[in-house]
């Protein structure tokens, strides 16, 4: 599991879910990967050659508040709307 997988999961699968659900899922993943890092990091590296790392990076890791927000990547239409509007505003600056 890579950070892009976590972005896809929280950005697509859980995008419309209440923030409490996203927070609970993020905390569960963080706790699971912390456990793996603490207990099995060396064995996993020895077996696979990969270093285990939580897919929810430090910038996106919730701090335990119900109001914590994950960075959810914008959809393609949202990006297009942003740059179209921005381009229009730059023309009249």
């Amino acid at each position: 599991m890579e950070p892009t997988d976590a972005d896809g999961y929280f950005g697509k699968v859980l995008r419309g879910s209440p923030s409490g659900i996203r927070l609970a899922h993020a905390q569960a993943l963080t706790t699971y990967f912390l456990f793996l890092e603490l207990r099995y990091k060396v064995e996993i590296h020895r077996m696979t050659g990969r270093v285990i790392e939580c897919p929810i990076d430090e910038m996106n890791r919730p701090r335990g508040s119900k109001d914590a927000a994950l960075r959810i990547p914008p959809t393609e239409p949202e990006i297009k709307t942003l740059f179209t509007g921005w381009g229009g505003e730059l023309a009249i600056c």
Side-chain angles (χ1 to χ4, degrees), residues 37-55:
E37 286 176 32
L38 291 173
R39 295 281 174 95
Y40 300 106
K41 185 176 189 173
V42 174
E43 288 85 359
I44 290 172
H45 182 263
R46 195 176 309 137
M47 289 171 41
T48 66
R50 296 189 65 173
V51 176
I52 190 151
E53 188 176 355
C54 184

Side-chain angles (χ1 to χ4, degrees), residues 11 24-25 31 43 45 49 51-52 55 57-58 62 65 68 77 81 88-89 92:
H25 284 232
T31 302
E43 288 85 359
H45 182 263
V51 176
I52 190 151
D57 59 24
E58 192 62 34
S65 170
T81 301
E89 288 183 20
I92 60 172

Side-chain angles (χ1 to χ4, degrees), residues 16-74:
S17 299
S19 62
I21 301 255
R22 290 191 310 267
L23 176 62
H25 284 232
Q27 287 175 330
L29 272 175
T30 301
T31 302
Y32 176 70
F33 275 88
L34 182 58
F35 167 77
L36 289 177
E37 286 176 32
L38 291 173
R39 295 281 174 95
Y40 300 106
K41 185 176 189 173
V42 174
E43 288 85 359
I44 290 172
H45 182 263
R46 195 176 309 137
M47 289 171 41
T48 66
R50 296 189 65 173
V51 176
I52 190 151
E53 188 176 355
C54 184
I56 301 176
D57 59 24
E58 192 62 34
M59 295 301 293
N60 295 323
R61 189 167 290 160
R63 299 292 176 230
S65 170
K66 186 166 173 41
D67 298 327
L70 293 170
R71 180 189 61 82
I72 299 174

Side-chain angles (χ1 to χ4, degrees), residues 6-20:
D7 285 347
Y9 178 69
F10 288 102
K12 293 178 183 160
V13 176
L14 293 181
R15 188 175 194 89
S17 299
S19 62

Side-chain angles (χ1 to χ4, degrees), residues 67-84:
D67 298 327
L70 293 170
R71 180 189 61 82
I72 299 174
T75 62
E76 289 296 323
E78 290 171 332
I79 293 171
K80 186 174 182 173
T81 301
L82 169 72
F83 284 106
T84 301

